[in-house]
Amino acid sequence: FFKNEKIDQVYLAAARVGGINANNIYPAEFIYENLMIETNVIHSAFKNGVKKLLFLGSSCIYPKNAKQPMKEEELLTGKLEPTNEPYAVAKITGIKMCESYNRQFGNSHGIDYRSVMPTNIYGLGDNYHPENSHVIPGLIHRFHIAKIKNFPYVTVWGSGSSKREFLFVDDLADACLFALEKWNPMDANSPKDKFGNTLYWLNVGCNTEIS
């Protein structure tokens, strides 16, 4: 496919995704399918001369007890949240693949592979499954059913103390274009690890949390 289509840029958004319940029920599918997607696409892109690639990770790649607000350099500094660890491990692999290909082949092959870490995304065409959806479409589904069936109340998971950051999908699309076309990882203000090494991934959010 890559060879036939003569692709020059890749935005890798494909993934097996779901909410907390889906992550708990299907851990094998979540780690296997996501590893297969990213390893096949990233390596095929490299083999066929794709110079620019953007991989979409997830905010769940960061440790469960990461410092707040979470910064890019927090990656691999602690234990992951157990409920979505298989998915997070797969996403970390994709990020590290991009970083490793840059390190080994950036100069010799002129490639530039980057990643973005979206916060919780919502938007048109979302997954409204009653058990396997993410927070916002899951709530929309429950309130919609409650309205049309005239239920007296709606049950919401959790204590209400946890906070999430939500981003509309079109804003994420704009951020992806910026990250691949306009962001300079070598800039002094771009993320660095504690040794001053360049990090080729950016967090993408709206900087506002909602309980």
Side-chain angles (χ1 to χ4, degrees):
F1 175 78
F2 274 90
K3 184 178 180 181
N4 292 337
E5 297 299 322
K6 304 292 190 295
I7 295 167
D8 59 351
Q9 288 191 6
V10 171
Y11 290 81
L12 179 48
R16 171 70 181 267
V17 299
I20 293 172
N21 192 56
N23 274 275
N24 272 327
I25 296 174
Y26 309 110
E29 283 97 331
F30 270 69
I31 191 166
Y32 173 76
E33 292 182 21
N34 284 299
L35 284 172
M36 291 300 100
I37 290 168
E38 63 206 30
T39 53
N40 277 303
V41 173
I42 294 170
H43 187 64
S44 295
F46 170 72
K47 285 201 305 181
N48 289 278
V50 174
K51 303 299 183 186
K52 295 177 77 73
L53 179 145
L54 188 75
F55 172 71
L56 272 71
S58 169
S59 56
C60 73
I61 64 164
Y62 293 112
K64 179 179 180 180
N65 297 316
K67 297 175 184 177
Q68 300 293 326
M70 289 186 294
K71 295 184 177 180
E72 288 82 356
E73 56 265 31
E74 288 290 313
L75 183 63
L76 297 177
T77 60
K79 292 186 177 181
L80 299 166
E81 165 58 44
T83 54
N84 55 22
E85 185 184 76
Y87 177 72
V89 167
K91 285 297 185 179
I92 291 170
T93 301
I95 296 160
K96 287 299 180 177
M97 276 191 74
C98 290
E99 180 187 58
S100 299
Y101 277 56
N102 281 344
R103 285 176 56 192
Q104 187 169 344
F105 303 114
N107 291 330
S108 61
H109 291 67
I111 64 167
D112 186 357
Y113 292 0
R114 306 175 178 188
S115 304
V116 291
M117 274 6 87
T119 185
N120 296 265
I121 306 300
Y122 68 95
L124 302 179
D126 217 325
N127 171 23
Y128 297 93
H129 190 279
E131 278 92 37
N132 297 337
S133 58
H134 283 114
V135 181
I136 288 184
L139 291 175
I140 289 173
H141 175 87
R142 292 182 193 192
F143 283 105
H144 174 68
I145 296 299
K147 180 179 179 182
I148 62 175
K149 293 190 175 183
N150 202 29
F151 290 163
Y153 63 87
V154 172
T155 300
V156 178
W157 294 346
S159 65
S161 61
S162 298
K163 291 186 176 181
R164 299 281 191 97
E165 193 174 326
F166 298 103
L167 187 69
F168 186 56
V169 66
D170 289 5
D171 295 325
L172 171 61
D174 289 341
C176 288
L177 290 169
F178 172 85
L180 193 60
E181 297 290 344
K182 296 182 179 180
W183 169 48
N184 178 12
M186 300 300 178
D187 185 89
N189 295 321
S190 288
K192 306 285 190 297
D193 66 15
K194 63 181 181 179
F195 303 108
N197 298 314
T198 299
L199 302 182
Y200 288 90
W201 59 91
L202 281 178
N203 292 338
V204 177
C206 64
N207 208 31
T208 301
E209 293 181 321
I210 301 173
S211 68

PDB file of all heavy atoms in Angstrom, residues 77-89:
ATOM      1  N   THR A  77       8.547   7.490  34.322  1.00  0.00           N
ATOM      2  CA  THR A  77       9.117   7.836  35.623  1.00  0.00           C
ATOM      3  C   THR A  77       8.391   7.145  36.785  1.00  0.00           C
ATOM      4  O   THR A  77       8.724   7.363  37.938  1.00  0.00           O
ATOM      5  CB  THR A  77       9.080   9.360  35.856  1.00  0.00           C
ATOM      6  OG1 THR A  77       7.717   9.815  35.803  1.00  0.00           O
ATOM      7  CG2 THR A  77       9.915  10.095  34.822  1.00  0.00           C
ATOM      8  N   GLY A  78       7.397   6.314  36.485  1.00  0.00           N
ATOM      9  CA  GLY A  78       6.666   5.634  37.548  1.00  0.00           C
ATOM     10  C   GLY A  78       5.697   4.609  36.994  1.00  0.00           C
ATOM     11  O   GLY A  78       5.618   4.406  35.777  1.00  0.00           O
ATOM     12  N   LYS A  79       4.950   3.946  37.894  1.00  0.00           N
ATOM     13  CA  LYS A  79       4.013   2.899  37.499  1.00  0.00           C
ATOM     14  C   LYS A  79       2.778   3.484  36.826  1.00  0.00           C
ATOM     15  O   LYS A  79       2.303   4.558  37.184  1.00  0.00           O
ATOM     16  CB  LYS A  79       3.598   2.076  38.720  1.00  0.00           C
ATOM     17  CG  LYS A  79       4.729   1.230  39.295  1.00  0.00           C
ATOM     18  CD  LYS A  79       4.229   0.330  40.413  1.00  0.00           C
ATOM     19  CE  LYS A  79       5.354  -0.570  40.927  1.00  0.00           C
ATOM     20  NZ  LYS A  79       4.897  -1.473  42.011  1.00  0.00           N
ATOM     21  N   LEU A  80       2.250   2.729  35.857  1.00  0.00           N
ATOM     22  CA  LEU A  80       1.070   3.151  35.114  1.00  0.00           C
ATOM     23  C   LEU A  80      -0.205   2.834  35.887  1.00  0.00           C
ATOM     24  O   LEU A  80      -0.198   2.025  36.820  1.00  0.00           O
ATOM     25  CB  LEU A  80       1.032   2.439  33.756  1.00  0.00           C
ATOM     26  CG  LEU A  80       2.214   2.708  32.830  1.00  0.00           C
ATOM     27  CD1 LEU A  80       2.226   1.690  31.699  1.00  0.00           C
ATOM     28  CD2 LEU A  80       2.157   4.130  32.288  1.00  0.00           C
ATOM     29  N   GLU A  81      -1.311   3.462  35.482  1.00  0.00           N
ATOM     30  CA  GLU A  81      -2.624   3.117  36.020  1.00  0.00           C
ATOM     31  C   GLU A  81      -2.960   1.682  35.602  1.00  0.00           C
ATOM     32  O   GLU A  81      -2.984   1.362  34.411  1.00  0.00           O
ATOM     33  CB  GLU A  81      -3.676   4.086  35.466  1.00  0.00           C
ATOM     34  CG  GLU A  81      -5.115   3.660  35.629  1.00  0.00           C
ATOM     35  CD  GLU A  81      -5.508   3.410  37.073  1.00  0.00           C
ATOM     36  OE1 GLU A  81      -5.154   4.222  37.944  1.00  0.00           O
ATOM     37  OE2 GLU A  81      -6.176   2.378  37.320  1.00  0.00           O
ATOM     38  N   PRO A  82      -3.208   0.758  36.545  1.00  0.00           N
ATOM     39  CA  PRO A  82      -3.377  -0.669  36.208  1.00  0.00           C
ATOM     40  C   PRO A  82      -4.522  -0.956  35.244  1.00  0.00           C
ATOM     41  O   PRO A  82      -4.438  -1.875  34.435  1.00  0.00           O
ATOM     42  CB  PRO A  82      -3.640  -1.326  37.569  1.00  0.00           C
ATOM     43  CG  PRO A  82      -3.037  -0.392  38.573  1.00  0.00           C
ATOM     44  CD  PRO A  82      -3.229   0.992  38.010  1.00  0.00           C
ATOM     45  N   THR A  83      -5.619  -0.172  35.314  1.00  0.00           N
ATOM     46  CA  THR A  83      -6.796  -0.496  34.507  1.00  0.00           C
ATOM     47  C   THR A  83      -6.542  -0.374  33.009  1.00  0.00           C
ATOM     48  O   THR A  83      -7.180  -1.070  32.212  1.00  0.00           O
ATOM     49  CB  THR A  83      -7.984   0.418  34.881  1.00  0.00           C
ATOM     50  OG1 THR A  83      -7.580   1.789  34.775  1.00  0.00           O
ATOM     51  CG2 THR A  83      -8.464   0.128  36.286  1.00  0.00           C
ATOM     52  N   ASN A  84      -5.630   0.517  32.597  1.00  0.00           N
ATOM     53  CA  ASN A  84      -5.368   0.637  31.153  1.00  0.00           C
ATOM     54  C   ASN A  84      -3.895   0.430  30.808  1.00  0.00           C
ATOM     55  O   ASN A  84      -3.418   0.918  29.789  1.00  0.00           O
ATOM     56  CB  ASN A  84      -5.866   1.990  30.614  1.00  0.00           C
ATOM     57  CG  ASN A  84      -5.289   3.165  31.377  1.00  0.00           C
ATOM     58  OD1 ASN A  84      -4.245   3.056  32.013  1.00  0.00           O
ATOM     59  ND2 ASN A  84      -5.977   4.293  31.307  1.00  0.00           N
ATOM     60  N   GLU A  85      -3.189  -0.336  31.648  1.00  0.00           N
ATOM     61  CA  GLU A  85      -1.762  -0.550  31.430  1.00  0.00           C
ATOM     62  C   GLU A  85      -1.440  -1.191  30.072  1.00  0.00           C
ATOM     63  O   GLU A  85      -0.525  -0.743  29.376  1.00  0.00           O
ATOM     64  CB  GLU A  85      -1.178  -1.392  32.560  1.00  0.00           C
ATOM     65  CG  GLU A  85       0.326  -1.564  32.466  1.00  0.00           C
ATOM     66  CD  GLU A  85       0.864  -2.479  33.556  1.00  0.00           C
ATOM     67  OE1 GLU A  85       0.694  -3.705  33.424  1.00  0.00           O
ATOM     68  OE2 GLU A  85       1.434  -1.974  34.526  1.00  0.00           O
ATOM     69  N   PRO A  86      -2.156  -2.235  29.620  1.00  0.00           N
ATOM     70  CA  PRO A  86      -1.830  -2.824  28.313  1.00  0.00           C
ATOM     71  C   PRO A  86      -1.926  -1.814  27.167  1.00  0.00           C
ATOM     72  O   PRO A  86      -1.061  -1.776  26.283  1.00  0.00           O
ATOM     73  CB  PRO A  86      -2.858  -3.952  28.162  1.00  0.00           C
ATOM     74  CG  PRO A  86      -3.204  -4.318  29.569  1.00  0.00           C
ATOM     75  CD  PRO A  86      -3.195  -3.019  30.319  1.00  0.00           C
ATOM     76  N   TYR A  87      -2.977  -1.004  27.188  1.00  0.00           N
ATOM     77  CA  TYR A  87      -3.142   0.031  26.159  1.00  0.00           C
ATOM     78  C   TYR A  87      -2.017   1.060  26.246  1.00  0.00           C
ATOM     79  O   TYR A  87      -1.428   1.454  25.235  1.00  0.00           O
ATOM     80  CB  TYR A  87      -4.496   0.717  26.336  1.00  0.00           C
ATOM     81  CG  TYR A  87      -4.766   1.856  25.384  1.00  0.00           C
ATOM     82  CD1 TYR A  87      -5.020   1.605  24.041  1.00  0.00           C
ATOM     83  CD2 TYR A  87      -4.783   3.170  25.842  1.00  0.00           C
ATOM     84  CE1 TYR A  87      -5.288   2.654  23.162  1.00  0.00           C
ATOM     85  CE2 TYR A  87      -5.049   4.213  24.969  1.00  0.00           C
ATOM     86  CZ  TYR A  87      -5.298   3.951  23.644  1.00  0.00           C
ATOM     87  OH  TYR A  87      -5.557   4.990  22.775  1.00  0.00           O
ATOM     88  N   ALA A  88      -1.688   1.476  27.466  1.00  0.00           N
ATOM     89  CA  ALA A  88      -0.633   2.471  27.667  1.00  0.00           C
ATOM     90  C   ALA A  88       0.719   1.940  27.206  1.00  0.00           C
ATOM     91  O   ALA A  88       1.500   2.658  26.569  1.00  0.00           O
ATOM     92  CB  ALA A  88      -0.568   2.881  29.139  1.00  0.00           C
ATOM     93  N   VAL A  89       1.011   0.675  27.507  1.00  0.00           N
ATOM     94  CA  VAL A  89       2.278   0.073  27.081  1.00  0.00           C
ATOM     95  C   VAL A  89       2.391   0.076  25.559  1.00  0.00           C
ATOM     96  O   VAL A  89       3.448   0.374  24.987  1.00  0.00           O
ATOM     97  CB  VAL A  89       2.417  -1.359  27.647  1.00  0.00           C
ATOM     98  CG1 VAL A  89       3.555  -2.105  26.971  1.00  0.00           C
ATOM     99  CG2 VAL A  89       2.645  -1.308  29.154  1.00  0.00           C
TER     100      VAL A  89
END
